[in-house]
Amino acid sequence: MSVGASIGISFFSVGDYHCTADELIRKADTALYEAKNNGRNCYRIYDKNVDVKAQKARQLETALRTALDRDQFELYYQPKYCAKNQTIIGTEALIRWNHPELGLTFPDDFMPIVERNELVFPLGLWVLEEAWRQLQIWVDDLSLDDFSLSVNISARQFFDAGFIAVLKNMAADLPHLTAKLELEITEEVTIENVDEAAIIMQQINNLGFSISIDDFGTGYSSISYLHKLPVQKIKIDKSFLVDSLTDTAHSETVVRSIIDLGHNLDMKVIAEGVETLEQVNFLYQNNCDELQGFFFSRPVRAEAMTVLLQPHSPTESESQLQA
Ligand code: C2E
Ligand code: MG
Ligand code: MG
């Protein structure tokens, strides 16, 4: 057994007679919290800017504890398009927090806190159940055939012992929907423990659900482990498309290689963060299967997604594509 230590340090400056012993300890504690959040087994010196950020994080953490009971979370949906015929073939559920004071709050501001906290389990469950409920409504009301709804799964949720049991119950209730639910798992999750991840993914596949690797290309050993995983789709990280605006040749080569890699492993490939017609054309010409991004639609509320799913006349971006 080995014992580790995290250390928080604060200094008393001569002349700063307003700083009490309690205050000094609180500052050291803040620095300690920061050390723990930065991977533990290290030290941090108190920093006022970090303190302000930490206080905000603590306030959010407190508010998050009651947010689920107060029904403050909502799923937005961003459509995914078939690259060949520009029809909607699915949508991704993206969580939003309707914070009573801050208003619409995005996952990058609160999911890192949730993921360090036990709330990751009830919130992850709520997202899955809410998406499943919405999928049933869409499939039943709109008779959607080739359609998939994807849900982002946190690492801790994925490796949790109760996760497969939840999926089993969902599959038992509505077996005809399993092929329409896709679980998005980030590359980082799979890199951490490839063998265990492969076993869990196989169980998920056996229940009829499919799996895609989100943010693909941002990890370090993507290629060496990918063939070991029972994955149906890879999602090219949006940073490659953002880079294509500045370093076109380089990022286009990377995107083309990822598409080939996926297809050679019998996987579908989707690109996220598609913002321009040039990107759409490039991805289409290089056989990317699915496209998702602001060019087509931002994430929208469920009601607006329902409208997008109705048979309709072409939108402006669809007309641009057909031209
Ligand atoms: P992600 O799963 O990779 O989702 C893609 C993010 O890119 C979304 O941000 C989406 O709104 C944004 N995006 C989509 N198209 C474009 C585009 O054309 N340009 C740009 N610049 N951005 C685009 P969002 O909704 O803020 O979500 C951020 C991340 O939070 C997600 O990344 C995902 O990792 C996480 N997340 C969201 N919802 C959930 C959830 O229900 N559970 C879990 N565990 N994580 C979630
Ligand atoms: Mg995602
Ligand atoms: Mg992503």
Side-chain angles (χ1 to χ4, degrees), residues 220-320:
Y220 294 106
S221 52
S222 328
I223 297 168
S224 60
Y225 75 79
L226 192 62
H227 70 281
K228 290 187 178 177
L229 300 173
V231 162
Q232 286 67 53
K233 198 183 282 178
I234 51 181
K235 197 168 207 185
I236 306 173
D237 188 66
K238 61 177 177 298
S239 60
F240 295 110
L241 296 194
V242 173
D243 287 351
S244 74
L245 300 172
T246 50
D247 182 1
T248 314
H250 178 252
S251 53
E252 283 186 358
T253 306
V254 174
V255 170
R256 227 182 264 124
S257 310
I258 297 178
I259 296 172
D260 286 347
L261 172 70
H263 287 166
N264 288 336
L265 292 171
D266 280 333
M267 294 168 188
K268 284 202 165 177
V269 181
I270 177 167
E272 67 176 7
V274 180
E275 293 185 357
T276 66
L277 184 60
E278 289 70 39
Q279 290 170 341
V280 173
N281 288 335
F282 168 79
L283 290 160
Y284 170 71
Q285 280 154 13
N286 285 283
N287 300 319
C288 187
D289 303 287
E290 299 175 10
L291 310 174
Q292 185 183 5
F294 294 169
F295 176 78
F296 298 97
S297 169
R298 286 184 178 258
V300 293
R301 295 196 127 125
E303 308 83 70
M305 186 69 224
T306 307
V307 174
L308 287 175
L309 289 173
Q310 314 275 352
H312 65 291
S313 43
T315 60
E316 198 186 319
S317 57
E318 285 164 351
S319 307
Q320 269 183 291

Side-chain angles (χ1 to χ4, degrees), residues 118 120-121 154-169 196 200 203-204 207:
E118 289 306 292
V120 71
F121 303 113
S154 298
R156 289 177 65 203
Q157 190 184 3
F158 177 77
F159 287 110
D160 180 54
F163 183 54
I164 294 293
V166 168
L167 293 176
K168 252 187 203 156
N169 285 341
E196 196 186 343
I200 297 172
Q203 291 172 320
I204 293 172
L207 290 169

